[in-house]
Amino acid sequence: MEIHRGERFLNESILVVEDDESLARSIASNLRAREYQVRSCVSVAEALFQLDQNIPELLLLDIDLPDGSGWEVARELRARSGAVVPVIVVSALRPNERLVHELGCVGVLEKPFPMEALVRQVETALHAVETVDVEGVQSYVEE
């Protein structure tokens, strides 16, 4: 059952795929404080297992993972869910723009990033009324 508070659904699930466990805990803690359901994992294998269990409503995805590329997770998510699950890339390296667009990512955050920027992108991605135009990818890059 979904619980509503205004326009906000309180059962929105987010999968955080991030191998920096300290950052993953910080992201999860901040999102849980805003009443999101958050699952975290640190590898491609764990992420694929999580996708087998439940398709999230949003994927926060690091690209450089210890057992492979986060792009593999994004491709598998697209294969399982179509283009309905938004993906926000969180990476220390500037991601490949072709893959960002090809996989329909809705946002990019380059580490380090302010937590407010992450929360803003999460809320925008989860509350978009229309299909996201991949030409309009949101980005936060620390200059």
Side-chain angles (χ1 to χ4, degrees):
M1 179 172 149
E2 295 176 340
I3 301 169
H4 299 273
R5 181 179 299 153
E7 298 268 328
R8 177 93 165 73
F9 292 93
L10 297 182
N11 69 339
E12 292 162 323
S13 66
I14 299 171
L15 178 60
V16 177
V17 183
E18 171 58 62
D19 64 331
D20 177 337
E21 292 183 39
S22 174
L23 178 58
R25 277 192 305 273
S26 178
I27 290 171
S29 175
N30 273 278
L31 293 174
R32 285 184 184 121
R34 290 166 175 81
E35 300 180 333
Y36 292 105
Q37 295 178 11
V38 181
R39 294 178 291 143
S40 299
C41 52
V42 298
S43 68
V44 170
E46 287 181 48
L48 296 178
F49 176 79
Q50 288 291 328
L51 293 179
D52 283 340
Q53 304 306 304
N54 187 27
I55 299 295
E57 293 179 58
L58 174 71
L59 177 65
L60 294 176
L61 181 65
D62 189 5
I63 299 304
D64 189 22
L65 297 168
D67 61 341
S69 170
W71 297 121
E72 181 181 342
V73 177
R75 283 187 188 96
E76 187 61 29
L77 177 64
R78 291 292 176 244
R80 294 178 189 196
S81 70
V84 296
V85 177
V87 175
I88 297 173
V89 174
V90 291
S91 182
L93 305 172
R94 189 176 299 261
N96 179 311
E97 290 298 319
R98 180 186 60 79
L99 289 173
V100 167
H101 290 290
E102 178 182 304
L103 294 170
C105 299
V106 298
V108 174
L109 288 166
E110 191 171 319
K111 299 175 198 172
F113 52 84
M115 199 55 65
E116 301 81 35
L118 174 92
V119 170
R120 209 170 26 253
Q121 284 203 24
V122 164
E123 291 183 351
T124 298
L126 287 173
H127 303 292
V129 176
E130 298 178 16
T131 304
V132 175
D133 174 8
V134 294
E135 297 302 318
V137 171
Q138 294 183 18
S139 183
Y140 176 86
V141 178
E142 187 75 31
E143 297 295 330

